[in-house]
Amino acid sequence: MGLRRKNKSPAVLSHEFVIQNHADTASCLVMGLLLGLMFEVPAKYAIIFIAVQYNVTYTIDDNSEQFHFYDYGPKDIATIFFYMLVAINLHAVIQEYILDKINRRLHLSKTKHSKFNESGQLAFFYLFSFLWGASILNTEEFMMNPTSLWKDYPHSRMIFQVKFFYICQIAYWLHALPELYFQKIRKEDIPRQLCYICLYIAHISGAYILNLQHLGLILMVPHYLVELIFHASRLFYFSDENKQKGIGCLGAVCLTQAWMMWKFINFQLKKWREHVKNQIPKKKITSTKNKRIKKEPNRANFVNGAAKLEGGASPRIRKSKPV
């Protein structure tokens, strides 16, 4: 038996070398920053990359209870860079240990293979972001108290969960830009992906900088749910040759829409019936009052038992004619 030839490793710093080892490079940078926390001198600089910056502490009156809020500033760029490296590592883990194994079983074409990878990565992200964002909305009761969107604006102070959520969101969408190169995305797909990536970066960063964090969070959570359903159905479409799962998803969506329409119609009918019931007694009361006013004589026009005319003159009494 002849010896099996090994594939030649690409030249250092070549395109293939960077593409094959970009996740390892990012993980080394992450580990280097984490190790910097162990020593006093580099810890001062490493903490800027890892921890959330611009902490502001408030105390109410003389109570010992303290409230911690966060602001934003230029140091957030270092924090976003660190979590962008973390996102690159997570992207590589999901691609290698989940999506690539599924792709080997499905034997997809190059076009479907690229779209399957895109939907797989985004489905994981949308699921995680939706659950995280929904938990923040539930904890802070933003949905139950809509006045918090405009009350005491601008909201220049954020709680830790809200700030960290925005840091991770911006970091993820920034990491998607070099991934277009690392994943060897086809030239035909680059403009489309580049368009929605830049839109996400612009809108999320704008909400973060313009103190619209509450409004941005309320808009992102339902949007991510819709995107999650879209990419999950797309994954079912690529993974099912007979398209049975896709028909099932379509049926589930139609049933959900029909149920929501039924609930909406019943709600409107209930409100209409309550409105009609409230209007009928009012009409009866007003009609009975008008009848009583017409039947009862005006007591103010009687003086000492004699009726007066409108001008104040008393009516003449007819004399009886002699028979």
Side-chain angles (χ1 to χ4, degrees), residues 18-30 80-97 121 125 168 170-183:
V18 173
I19 291 172
Q20 291 181 10
N21 299 283
H22 73 277
D24 297 332
T25 305
S27 61
C28 290
L29 291 173
V30 171
I80 291 171
F81 174 75
F82 175 79
Y83 289 100
M84 186 178 72
L85 297 177
V86 175
I88 291 174
N89 287 322
L90 293 176
H91 189 113
V93 170
I94 294 172
Q95 184 67 44
E96 183 176 355
Y97 293 99
Q121 294 286 347
F125 169 73
C168 293
I170 298 172
Y172 180 86
W173 290 112
L174 284 176
H175 111 279
L177 293 175
E179 286 293 342
L180 296 176
Y181 170 71
F182 295 146
Q183 298 297 325

Side-chain angles (χ1 to χ4, degrees), residues 115-144:
K115 292 182 178 180
F116 183 86
N117 290 336
E118 178 189 0
S119 294
Q121 294 286 347
L122 291 175
F124 278 103
F125 169 73
Y126 287 136
L127 177 61
F128 176 75
S129 298
F130 169 74
L131 295 176
W132 189 7
S135 67
I136 296 174
L137 291 178
N138 184 35
T139 303
E140 298 300 319
E141 298 181 353
F142 290 153
M143 298 294 291
M144 301 303 295

Side-chain angles (χ1 to χ4, degrees), residues 29-271:
L29 291 173
V30 171
M31 291 300 298
L33 291 171
L34 291 174
L35 289 174
L37 296 175
M38 300 175 61
F39 305 97
E40 184 177 359
V41 176
K44 298 178 182 179
Y45 303 99
I47 197 67
I48 299 175
F49 290 87
I50 300 169
V52 179
Q53 301 297 310
Y54 301 104
N55 183 12
V56 181
T57 305
Y58 292 96
T59 55
I60 299 177
D61 298 332
D62 296 332
N63 297 334
S64 59
E65 187 178 3
Q66 295 181 347
F67 297 90
H68 300 279
F69 293 94
Y70 291 86
D71 203 346
Y72 65 87
K75 291 182 181 179
D76 291 338
I77 298 174
T79 311
I80 291 171
F81 174 75
F82 175 79
Y83 289 100
M84 186 178 72
L85 297 177
V86 175
I88 291 174
N89 287 322
L90 293 176
H91 189 113
V93 170
I94 294 172
Q95 184 67 44
E96 183 176 355
Y97 293 99
I98 299 177
L99 297 180
D100 285 346
K101 291 184 178 180
I102 298 175
N103 281 322
R104 294 190 192 101
R105 296 179 181 179
L106 297 177
H107 303 289
L108 299 175
S109 62
K110 290 183 178 180
T111 304
K112 291 183 177 180
H113 179 82
S114 177
K115 292 182 178 180
F116 183 86
N117 290 336
E118 178 189 0
S119 294
Q121 294 286 347
L122 291 175
F124 278 103
F125 169 73
Y126 287 136
L127 177 61
F128 176 75
S129 298
F130 169 74
L131 295 176
W132 189 7
S135 67
I136 296 174
L137 291 178
N138 184 35
T139 303
E140 298 300 319
E141 298 181 353
F142 290 153
M143 298 294 291
M144 301 303 295
N145 186 19
T147 58
S148 62
L149 294 177
W150 58 83
K151 189 177 181 181
D152 298 330
Y153 181 84
H155 306 114
S156 58
R157 301 290 184 265
M158 296 171 281
I159 62 173
F160 173 79
Q161 287 290 339
V162 173
K163 172 152 187 173
F164 192 51
F165 179 83
Y166 273 91
I167 291 290
C168 293
Q169 292 294 313
I170 298 172
Y172 180 86
W173 290 112
L174 284 176
H175 111 279
L177 293 175
E179 286 293 342
L180 296 176
Y181 170 71
F182 295 146
Q183 298 297 325
K184 296 182 179 179
I185 303 299
R186 299 187 311 161
K187 293 182 179 180
E188 296 82 5
D189 295 334
I190 288 178
R192 176 182 59 84
Q193 295 189 26
L194 190 63
C195 180
Y196 72 74
I197 290 171
C198 292
L199 286 174
Y200 272 115
I201 294 172
H203 285 85
I204 296 174
S205 301
Y208 181 69
I209 295 172
L210 298 176
N211 298 320
L212 296 172
Q213 298 89 3
H214 296 177
L215 179 61
L217 192 62
I218 291 175
L219 294 177
M220 271 192 287
V221 170
H223 177 73
Y224 281 170
L225 177 61
V226 174
E227 291 289 341
L228 172 62
I229 296 173
F230 169 73
H231 287 285
S233 60
R234 200 180 186 189
L235 290 173
F236 287 137
Y237 173 78
F238 289 132
S239 62
D240 187 17
E241 295 180 356
N242 298 324
K243 308 297 183 293
Q244 295 178 356
K245 295 178 182 178
I247 291 171
C249 290
L250 180 61
V253 171
C254 293
L255 290 175
T256 304
Q257 293 293 328
W259 178 77
M260 293 175 65
M261 182 61 69
W262 178 253
K263 295 289 288 185
F264 176 77
I265 292 172
N266 285 334
F267 175 76
Q268 293 297 328
L269 289 175
K270 183 179 178 181
K271 298 293 289 185

